[in-house]
Amino acid sequence: MMHKKSNIVVGITTFNNEMLRISVPALGKIRQKFTLIIYNDNPMTNVNRRCIRKLGYCGDLIIINTDENIGQLRARMAIVDTARDLRPEWIVFCDDDDILTDLEIPHVADDNFAIIQGGIILRHRVGDLLRAMENPGDVDVDGENTELVRPRLAVAGTPIRAKTLFGLAKIMPDMYDAIARIDEKFEFYPPVDTMMWNFVNIYARHVNPNAVPIYMDKINYIKNEIDTARMKYGRLARPVRNADEHYRRAIEKYDAVLHDAIGVAAALRG
């Protein structure tokens, strides 16, 4: 299928499709032009264009409905593969229950592979979420129920050079089995976003030793952490004790898998 060129692609992965009621209406209010790609990772449901239009988004749209559940990491990389035909310069991921508020892309150097910005985390009150959905600028940051994070280091909400993600996507299939073996040993849900952020950084600097992200001091993402369920997709949502240490060890293992894949790819080219 041929698609027209789009400078910015926004990618959403979804499993609990009702959460699109949070993310999609906010995208409909963004002034910048972009193409939305939705990957529905729930084989028991179907997301269609009419549903997305009813939620208030009327821009360029591609929907992928899957026959099998493949998880957030592979679903995001499937979005990257789909975006390749659009030849975008930037790709921004958004979780289906979060709010992306802006897509301003400043003029940056070619060495800048990502544009880091600030964000707001919603912790406890549904009222804060409802206000954010109605008017993102109306969120009162109090440091307890709502928290300001500046800078916000994450893949979700961060514009990333498409060419960096396209290059990473070429070697990712060789890594999936090794990543799955690491994941199987965890009792908690894998830190996919942190893993991907590290992957982007490592790969960008592998391709270009001068590659660096750049920080833009503005808020463009509202992270919804009101759902404090203990379990997530059949696992603990997070480690019960010493979460930071568990995550650190997990990221070290993931990083090692990427370094191995980069080494193999370099050897094959050589």
Side-chain angles (χ1 to χ4, degrees):
M1 181 183 297
M2 297 297 293
H3 301 287
K4 62 183 179 180
K5 179 178 173 62
S6 179
N7 191 50
I8 305 173
V9 165
V10 173
I12 293 181
T13 61
T14 181
F15 184 86
N16 296 315
N17 303 157
E18 63 272 14
M19 294 301 181
L20 293 171
R21 300 175 188 174
I22 299 174
S23 55
V24 172
L27 295 177
K29 298 175 183 178
I30 291 179
R31 295 182 179 181
Q32 294 91 350
K33 182 176 176 57
F34 62 95
T35 297
L36 173 61
I37 301 179
I38 297 175
Y39 189 101
N40 175 25
D41 198 29
N42 187 343
M44 303 302 292
T45 66
N46 185 75
V47 176
N48 56 56
R49 298 177 71 87
R50 183 169 177 267
C51 167
I52 301 305
R53 298 306 189 206
K54 286 179 67 176
L55 290 176
Y57 177 76
C58 299
D60 295 336
L61 175 64
I62 299 173
I63 299 173
I64 306 167
N65 286 294
T66 186
D67 293 329
E68 62 173 332
N69 173 239
I70 61 175
Q72 186 181 47
L73 174 63
R74 292 177 64 182
R76 282 182 173 177
M77 299 316 295
I79 288 174
V80 172
D81 287 334
T82 301
R84 198 182 300 272
D85 288 341
L86 303 176
R87 295 171 290 155
E89 186 174 357
W90 300 93
I91 296 177
V92 185
F93 293 106
C94 178
D95 288 345
D96 60 357
D97 58 347
D98 294 343
I99 298 173
L100 182 65
T101 65
D102 188 83
L103 278 172
E104 178 185 358
I105 305 293
H107 294 290
V108 298
D110 290 341
D111 289 339
N112 297 133
F113 65 87
I115 303 172
I116 299 170
Q117 296 169 67
I120 295 173
I121 300 177
L122 307 181
R123 296 282 187 198
H124 304 294
R125 299 180 302 204
V126 174
D128 291 324
L129 175 60
L130 295 176
R131 278 190 290 275
M133 292 171 63
E134 181 67 25
N135 180 5
D138 194 33
V139 178
D140 180 27
V141 177
D142 61 16
E144 179 183 359
N145 299 297
T146 55
E147 177 184 350
L148 179 64
V149 180
R150 182 186 280 159
R152 184 174 176 274
L153 303 178
V155 164
T158 300
I160 299 171
R161 290 272 188 192
K163 64 181 180 181
T164 300
L165 288 170
F166 293 154
L168 181 61
K170 289 182 179 179
I171 62 175
M172 284 297 298
D174 296 330
M175 300 166 53
Y176 288 143
D177 287 346
I179 291 173
R181 287 193 293 271
I182 294 172
D183 290 348
E184 287 171 358
K185 298 178 181 179
F186 299 151
E187 294 181 352
F188 53 88
Y189 187 76
V192 175
D193 198 89
T194 304
M195 175 211 305
M196 288 190 67
W197 177 243
N198 271 33
F199 281 3
V200 168
N201 279 264
I202 292 170
Y203 183 81
R205 292 185 174 100
H206 165 71
V207 175
N208 174 13
N210 296 319
V212 290
I214 192 170
Y215 176 61
M216 183 165 65
D217 190 15
K218 67 178 300 182
I219 305 301
N220 80 320
Y221 200 77
I222 299 177
K223 179 70 175 173
N224 174 18
E225 291 193 0
I226 294 174
D227 187 351
T228 56
R230 182 171 176 270
M231 304 299 292
K232 182 176 182 180
Y233 302 126
R235 300 189 187 197
L236 291 169
R238 57 185 289 110
V240 176
R241 298 182 180 86
N242 302 319
D244 290 343
E245 179 63 18
H246 281 291
Y247 287 147
R248 183 189 65 79
R249 292 178 181 177
I251 295 303
E252 286 181 353
K253 293 177 181 179
Y254 294 134
D255 289 353
V257 172
L258 176 57
H259 283 297
D260 287 345
I262 288 174
V264 170
L268 291 175
R269 288 196 302 270

